[in-house]
């Protein structure tokens, strides 16, 4: 799967706000640390301090990346087996792993349901919200979402005016999933981080991708006061999430 042009365009629009160059490839364009620093300043809502804005020498690039990595660790995000050199040298596997770790932290870790871990709390929230729907049985962030009904149930539970769950053809897994994605994007501002085929036509959907996408439903439907801060961060970060997902699929397809 090649990166969608519209996804890169949205990422580049964010970067251009601060006069930074456009990204062409998530895996290689973090190599001098400037884009990574800018990304962290966006999602962290605070400046990282002074850094080399036009690094030319390798040592300057390493300094930039170390500043970013130190900030990530300071925010309590654990990074293993990755150093500044890996990013400067554009190691795709390690970079994608790092960015996914950041994604999960800033979109999911602030979810709290009865003191459970972020993942377990999000799962419990989904189970509670979909409990009235007899055709939905959310047990995980993989197989439970393949027929599209869980997505539709979450929307209907909170916004029954947006779709008629009871009128759905429960056998139309592609149609149900597509409907949920369309409604979520158009009315809730949740971008399509997944293609219908990524959910319905794979032996096992990617857990991280489903969890990241579903987390947006949590933030969209949680009470305004509880989700206000997380929602602002998420709104700024969703464009990057889309691009990273596309880039990872592109990398794995090679």
């Amino acid at each position: 799967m090649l990166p969608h042009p519209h996804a890169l365009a949205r990422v580049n629009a964010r970067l251009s706000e601060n006069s930074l160059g456009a990204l062409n490839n998530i895996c290689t364009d973090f190599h001098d640390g400037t884009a990574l620093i800018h990304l962290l300043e966006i999602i962290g809502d605070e400046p990282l301090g002074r850094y080399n804005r036009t690094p030319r020498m390798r040592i300057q690039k390493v300094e930039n990346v170390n500043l970013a990595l130190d900030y990530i660790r300071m925010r309590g995000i654990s990074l293993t087996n990755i150093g500044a050199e890996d990013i400067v040298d554009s190691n795709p596997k390690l970079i994608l792993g790092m960015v996914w770790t950041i994604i999960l932290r800033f979109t999911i870790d602030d979810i709290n349901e009865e003191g459970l871990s972020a993942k377990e709390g999000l799962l419990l929230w989904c189970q509670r919200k979909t409990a009235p729907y007899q055709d939905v049985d959310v047990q995980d962030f993989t197989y439970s979402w393949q027929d599209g009904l869980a997505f539709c149930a979450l929307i209907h539970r909170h916004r029954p005016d947006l779709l008629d769950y009871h009128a759905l053809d429960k056998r139309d897994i592609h149609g149900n999933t597509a409907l949920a994605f369309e409604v979520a994007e158009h009315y809730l501002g949740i971008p399509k981080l997944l293609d219908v085929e990524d959910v319905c036509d794979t032996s096992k959907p990617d857990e991280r991708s489903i969890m990241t996408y579903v987390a947006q439903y949590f933030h969209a439907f949680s009470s305004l006061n509880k989700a206000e801060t997380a929602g602002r961060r998420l709104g700024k970060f969703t464009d990057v999430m889309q691009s990273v997902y596309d880039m990872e699929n592109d990398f794995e397809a090679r």
Side-chain angles (χ1 to χ4, degrees):
M1 180 187 299
L2 295 176
H4 298 314
H6 67 274
L8 281 176
R10 291 199 299 265
V11 174
N12 291 333
R14 293 291 185 186
L15 293 174
S16 66
E17 292 174 4
N18 283 25
S19 301
L20 287 180
L23 286 184
N24 294 306
N25 189 307
I26 290 289
C27 295
T28 60
D29 289 352
F30 283 151
H31 75 283
D32 66 5
T34 56
L36 180 58
I37 289 172
H38 180 58
L39 170 61
L40 292 171
E41 289 180 335
I42 290 175
I43 63 176
D45 287 328
E46 61 180 311
L48 268 64
R50 297 180 60 183
Y51 61 94
N52 298 296
R53 297 183 180 275
T54 55
R56 293 183 175 84
M57 295 185 294
R58 181 178 176 86
I59 189 172
Q60 294 174 322
K61 298 175 183 179
V62 170
E63 287 175 351
N64 280 353
V65 174
N66 274 325
L67 175 65
L69 294 179
D70 287 344
Y71 175 79
I72 292 171
R73 296 185 178 102
M74 183 272 290
R75 291 294 295 260
I77 303 175
S78 178
L79 296 177
T80 57
N81 301 322
I82 185 169
E85 292 78 8
D86 297 310
I87 298 176
V88 173
D89 294 334
S90 301
N91 184 311
K93 182 176 181 180
L94 293 179
I95 290 173
L96 287 168
M98 176 194 68
V99 176
W100 268 114
T101 299
I102 296 172
I103 287 174
L104 294 177
R105 174 56 186 267
F106 280 93
T107 61
I108 295 177
D109 275 9
D110 55 0
I111 293 174
N112 191 316
E113 287 285 310
E114 295 190 359
L116 297 174
S117 71
K119 178 181 176 180
E120 293 172 342
L122 182 60
L123 185 62
L124 177 61
W125 179 80
C126 293
Q127 291 170 337
R128 285 176 169 174
K129 296 302 181 181
T130 60
Y133 301 85
Q134 63 179 8
D135 299 299
V136 178
D137 182 22
V138 177
Q139 297 296 325
D140 50 45
F141 288 109
T142 52
Y143 305 110
S144 298
W145 305 85
Q146 284 189 293
D147 59 8
L149 294 177
F151 296 117
C152 291
L154 284 178
I155 295 173
H156 183 264
R157 179 68 184 274
H158 296 90
R159 290 289 306 274
D161 56 307
L162 296 182
L163 62 80
D164 185 354
Y165 178 87
H166 303 292
L168 297 175
D169 180 352
K170 306 303 190 297
R171 299 166 297 179
D172 185 8
I173 64 175
H174 293 86
N176 296 333
T177 304
L179 174 64
F181 288 178
E182 290 288 342
V183 170
E185 182 175 53
H186 186 70
Y187 294 101
L188 303 175
I190 298 175
K192 297 178 185 177
L193 302 183
L194 304 168
D195 291 329
V196 172
E197 294 76 16
D198 297 325
V199 179
C200 302
D201 296 336
T202 181
S203 58
K204 183 179 181 181
D206 181 71
E207 183 181 57
R208 292 179 305 178
S209 303
I210 297 291
M211 189 162 52
T212 302
Y213 181 65
V214 172
Q216 295 180 90
Y217 284 71
F218 173 89
H219 289 303
F221 293 132
S222 292
S223 63
L224 181 60
N225 290 337
K226 179 178 179 181
E228 185 178 11
T229 299
R232 285 199 305 268
R233 286 202 307 260
L234 188 61
K236 293 176 180 178
F237 204 27
T238 48
D239 294 337
V240 178
M241 289 162 58
Q242 169 77 64
S243 185
V244 170
Y245 178 75
D246 293 339
M247 290 291 184
E248 181 176 51
N249 278 329
D250 182 34
F251 170 71
E252 292 178 348
R254 293 176 184 174

